[in-house]
Amino acid sequence: MSVNISNLYQELSERVIAARNSGQPLIIKGGGSKQFYGRNVIGDVIDLRACSGIIAYEPTELVITAYAGTRLQEIENALAQHGQMLPFEPPGFGDYATLGGAVACGLSGPGRPYTGSVRDYVLGIKCLTGKGEILTFGGQVMKNVAGYDVSRLMTGALGTLGIILEVSIKVMPRPEYETALTRKTDFNTALTSMNAWAGESLSLSAASYDDGQLNIRLSGKETAVASARKILAMEESGTELDYWSQLREHQLAFFKDTKPLWRLSVPSTTGNMNLAGDWLIDWGGAQRWLKTDEPVDNIHRITEQAGGHATLFRGGDHDGEVFQPLKPALMQLHLRLKQVFDPVWILNRGRMYRDF
Amino acid sequence: MSSVIERLRAILPEEAVISGPESLQVYECDALSAYRTLPRCVVLPADIDQVLAVIRICHAENIPVVARGAGTGLSGGALPVADGVVMSLAKLNRILAIDPDRRLARVQPGVRNLSVSEAAAPYGLFYAPDPSSQIACTIGGNVAENSGGVHCLKYGLTVHNITALKIITIEGELLVIGSEALDTPGFDLLALLTGSEGMLGVVVEVTLKLLPKPVQQQILLAAFDSVDAAGNGVAAIIAAGIIPAGLEMMDNAGIRAVESYIHAGYPVDAAAILLCELDGVQEEVDSSSKEVADILIKSGASEVRMAKDKAEGEKFWAGRKAAFPAVGRIAADYYCMDGTIPRKHIARVLQTINDLSRQYGLGVVNVFHAGDGNLHPLILYDVAVPGELERAEEFGGKILETCVAVGGTITGEHGVGIEKINQMCVQFNAQELILFHDIKHAFDPPGLLNPGKAVPTLKRCAEFGAMHVHAGQLPFPELERF
Ligand SMILES: Cc1cc2nc3c(=O)[nH]c(=O)nc-3n(C[C@H](O)[C@H](O)[C@H](O)COP(=O)(O)OP(=O)(O)OC[C@H]3O[C@@H](n4cnc5c(N)ncnc54)[C@H](O)[C@@H]3O)c2cc1C
């Protein structure tokens, strides 16, 4: 770290205090790779790229602590040197994705149903609230129930509760062995299989249904993967382990389209949904990507009926609501929490919901 | 009879309102029995409507409400508030649905932890968090404490294993938090509520994740001549990329207590033993067990035993499981602590604990979740000896402060409750504590749910004198005096 971090923090908190006093909204920005995510916002940009570097990493503790502006790639490289990884496979969506952005957006990759989400691995956070206070929650240990779990509350809050400055994350060993399998089948069979296999000890680490193909990734001890493969008896899709990183990064052909892209998060067994468009099913059925021109209300209604929620991910109108509307009582609780962390509503105002 | 009790009697069946001093005694404490308070009354609602009705009355009358599960909490979380109402969720004890396809269980809060895995077993599934108290403790209590267990090293804590909650706020609002999908829009309130010790809402329904039961298990027992070497063994297993299902350590005092109680066959001369459980499919468990055995020998184990069959594996575990009752035999009373530290400091902190043990003249036994650095020192004392309880508490407080000093936390899984409230002043600064109070206020504006627990007032911290200079900040710069 070349910059003096305490000076930097001082500067950041002065900017927040000035903004608080003037009511000027601030846009929190890391590498800018996920600027498309959420609603459009206006304000002065707070750039966190200078706040970068790994603070502590001890492989035997399974914990890494880094400044929020640290590039994900730098973290992943450091972990890879010790045979470890970020188990939630955060999508970068660009070279300059940062840790803070990944945590604030709360997005997880294809392994999510089997190995967990970003918030499952966040252990602690240092943040700068909308009051200009620098506070620390959680810590660097696996188990910690002292105080409310503010670190996880901040995960996925899109910066609306505070500027994330430092994060401690639990990391995991990379699987000893991985393989990708594929089979041509219809949607219903694929869905049934994905759900049934998730209920067995089969080293499943990803499952998608894409263009008539059921795709599976197995990860773990080589012996365990081999035994699972025998049971599943699917063809191996050659070198296509790449498929999973391309799915995570939205580099597959499916995503090269200008139509609005929706992310539907639904119970994994949800059958065909009555929405016209192109589908790609990930997360063993629990996350569905939909390219569609269906009206927003339709999408929200049908997804809610299925017990899930829909997000306008890319394209479409990002000045309107992009996340599923909250029930009034829940929205009220959100407003109260926003008030606690950011009383003048200066941080990423309106990025999540128009109301705050 | 106060008007509150009359109002409660009007909406609940007769046996669901308890108010005589004798019958109230059952509820005067949880498993941390050093703290006792008689509540005004205890209510036992049988469904969500009754919970709502009770909450509405308490809200209207401005009466504190303490939710209670099985009362196995170890930090005084369910300790009644004098003049308050204790709401036992024990009658909401039904498993509402087991969905093997979605691998979910929907249960009421009073359901006992173990009964979920029992109900899921026919489908080859189980509920992973397994506190040692799992025969008795309730899912509502588990959510409130974010409980863990021996297997949370691999499978996570309660927060990792639930997908939805129904809660009732003090304002009488029934909120659904989370869903059967893997995430929900908005803030992660599910995480915020987990471990919130009954201070933000009353949990009336929980959706739990079920996992496939591992096909095979293997247990290894390794003996070490020094705690240091045992600590190295723990680190070496993790460094090799192996995450055991469980990895427990016991010090010499623990080994001897257990041996004289159930004869598990533990090596009584060892400074420490490690128990390591590996699970998965057959081939995987076979190869990992050999690998772990090698690692442990290389780390300096004087002996490594691999259970040759299920019965021997159970015998290895039996000693661990009997550790608390075994300690109960060698001491009149014991006080169970719960700090977590970075694993690398295990040996150093155990040494400090032994030094403190001499200093306070009280014995101590260590039996704990080494894999995730979660210590459970058991401080031995005799409540009948004047001053011993106070010494034990002070000793315990010092242990927790040591945990914080090495970068750990005052509680890994038992919660703050009333017990560790002073140490919260050591772990958090004034602004952080104020934020916690503000969060509570956002959920519970009148401050009626389990008041006085988990988060100390600044005044209390000042009296405790624990507001050391924290992170370079002066204690309470904004406060003039108390
Ligand atoms: C022998 C023994 C071994 C133990 N081993 C472990 C262990 O291995 N791991 C571990 O984590 N813990 C352990 N514990 C601690 C304890 O069992 C757990 O904290 C457990 O989760 C408490 O559940 P309970 O139902 O007894 O809750 P209670 O003790 O009744 O209550 C605990 C807290 O939860 C709140 N609460 C209860 N129900 C609700 C509800 N429905 N809504 C809102 N709040 C509620 C209460 O207000 C209180 O603050 C152990 C305890 C004992 C006695």
Side-chain angles (χ1 to χ4, degrees), chain B residues 167-298:
Chain B
I167 64 160
I168 291 179
T169 66
I170 193 68
E171 294 169 307
E173 200 81 60
L174 176 68
L175 300 179
V176 181
I177 310 282
S179 70
E180 297 195 359
L182 288 174
D183 46 41
T184 38
F187 300 147
D188 198 334
L189 300 179
L190 194 63
L192 183 65
L193 283 157
T194 310
S196 65
E197 304 197 20
M199 314 238 322
L200 305 182
V202 176
V203 176
V204 291
E205 195 179 298
V206 190
T207 306
L208 309 166
K209 274 189 213 168
L210 302 174
L211 299 178
K213 268 225 292 239
V215 189
Q216 195 61 35
Q217 282 159 338
Q218 176 61 281
I219 324 247
L220 289 88
L221 187 161
F224 292 86
D225 296 336
S226 75
V227 171
D228 238 333
N232 292 341
V234 172
I237 292 173
I238 307 281
I242 297 167
I243 305 294
L247 188 52
E248 300 282 306
M249 196 190 292
M250 197 182 283
D251 69 1
N252 180 266
I255 300 168
R256 278 185 289 121
V258 163
E259 267 312 292
S260 66
Y261 179 44
I262 65 150
H263 312 293
Y266 289 175
V268 287
D269 297 329
I273 58 168
L274 284 180
L275 283 174
C276 177
E277 179 177 306
L278 298 155
D279 69 7
V281 296
Q282 181 78 53
E283 300 87 335
E284 178 185 24
V285 171
D286 289 347
S287 70
S288 313
S289 323
K290 288 201 195 76
E291 209 179 324
V292 167
D294 285 346
I295 293 170
L296 291 170
I297 294 283
K298 280 202 193 99

Side-chain angles (χ1 to χ4, degrees), chain B residues 439-450:
Chain B
I439 290 176
K440 164 133 179 91
H441 190 257
F443 281 82
D444 174 16
L448 293 175
L449 286 178
N450 214 1

Side-chain angles (χ1 to χ4, degrees), chain A residues 204-224:
Chain A
L204 210 61
S205 71
S208 79
Y209 182 68
D210 174 5
D211 198 21
Q213 293 287 128
L214 167 61
N215 306 299
I216 296 287
R217 184 179 63 187
L218 304 175
S219 312
K221 284 262 165 204
E222 189 166 358
T223 44

Side-chain angles (χ1 to χ4, degrees), chain A residues 130-179:
Chain A
K131 295 184 194 164
E133 297 171 340
I134 295 183
L135 309 179
T136 308
F137 299 100
Q140 288 78 45
V141 288
M142 303 289 120
K143 289 164 93 177
N144 185 354
V145 291
Y148 300 124
D149 196 343
V150 173
S151 332
R152 291 199 170 96
L153 178 68
M154 290 238 162
T155 308
L158 283 171
T160 58
L161 296 178
I163 303 178
I164 298 172
L165 301 174
E166 297 170 21
V167 190
S168 294
I169 300 247
K170 178 178 175 182
V171 301
M172 290 292 265
R174 266 170 188 279
E176 175 184 296
Y177 188 75
E178 291 206 308
T179 189

Side-chain angles (χ1 to χ4, degrees), chain A residues 284-330:
Chain A
Q287 174 171 261
R288 303 181 182 194
W289 298 102
L290 170 64
K291 292 186 293 188
T292 184
D293 287 319
E294 288 263 9
V296 179
D297 292 347
N298 260 4
I299 299 174
H300 281 153
R301 184 175 40 82
I302 291 177
T303 315
E304 187 173 331
Q305 279 166 2
H309 68 100
T311 306
L312 175 60
F313 205 75
R314 286 186 203 261
D317 175 16
H318 282 253
D319 289 320
E321 296 294 8
V322 310
F323 294 102
Q324 185 95 21
L326 298 175
K327 295 260 170 353
L330 262 187

Side-chain angles (χ1 to χ4, degrees), chain A residues 58 61 263 265 269 336, chain B residues 102-103 183 344 409 432 442:
Chain A
E58 277 175 89
E61 296 293 323
R263 172 182 178 269
S265 176
T269 54
R336 287 187 191 169
Chain B
R102 290 186 179 176
R103 290 147 277 123
D183 46 41
K344 63 181 170 194
T409 174
E432 289 153 358

